[in-house]
Amino acid sequence: MKLLTLIASIALAAAGTVHAAGEKHDHAHEHKPMHGGVVVEVKDMDYELVAKPTAIQLYLRDNGKSADVSKASAKVTLLTGAEKQEVDLKPAGDKLEATGSFKVGPGTKAVAVVTVGGKPATARFTLK
C-alpha cells in the first residue's frame, strides 16, 4: 500500500507540467472555471474538477463547448495529506460524478484518468 501511495505522490509531483487556468494560450477559448472548480487543459480538452465533501464532479469542455460524456468514465485518486481515496465517476447529465463522503480541501491533490471514446487522458489538479 505504501508503494501505491509513493507512486501516486510521484505522479502528482509531475503535475507542474499541466497547463492551469489563467495562462495565455494561442487559441480562442478561455480556461476559466464555469462550475466553481479547478480547470486544467490536457490535449486541447479542458477538465474542471469540482470536489466537495459529498460529491466529486468532472466537467469536460472541447474548444469551449461541453463534451459528450454519456459514454465516458473516470477514476479520480484524491490525496489529502497521507490519506488516499479512489473514486469512480459515472456520467450524470453534462458531467461525470460520484456521490459519497470525500476528504477534500485546499491543497488536496487529485489525478483523474478519464476515458472518452476509448482514449484515456490524465489530468492533475491541486484544489484551492
Side-chain angles (χ1 to χ4, degrees):
M1 190 67 166
K2 288 183 181 183
L3 178 60
L4 289 176
T5 302
L6 176 63
I7 292 169
S9 297
I10 291 169
L12 287 170
T17 61
V18 175
H19 297 288
E23 292 184 9
K24 296 186 185 227
H25 299 283
D26 293 334
H27 45 269
H29 66 281
E30 294 189 41
H31 305 284
K32 293 183 180 178
M34 299 179 75
H35 304 281
V38 177
V39 177
V40 298
E41 179 187 23
V42 178
K43 298 181 183 177
D44 292 330
M45 178 84 73
D46 287 347
Y47 297 83
E48 181 177 356
L49 182 69
V50 179
K52 300 176 183 174
T54 59
I56 304 294
Q57 302 168 328
L58 187 63
Y59 295 86
L60 282 65
R61 291 191 301 272
D62 188 6
N63 292 314
K65 297 179 184 175
S66 292
D68 179 10
V69 296
S70 63
K71 296 179 183 173
S73 64
K75 178 174 255 178
V76 176
T77 301
L78 301 169
L79 291 175
T80 305
E83 296 192 39
K84 175 182 166 185
Q85 187 174 16
E86 292 186 349
V87 182
D88 290 318
L89 304 182
K90 303 291 181 200
D94 64 343
K95 64 190 167 295
L96 297 170
E97 181 177 45
T99 57
S101 179
F102 309 104
K103 293 186 179 185
V104 295
T108 295
K109 308 262 187 215
V111 176
V113 178
V114 184
T115 304
V116 179
K119 297 178 183 180
T122 302
R124 294 170 176 84
F125 305 88
T126 300
L127 301 182
K128 297 177 184 179

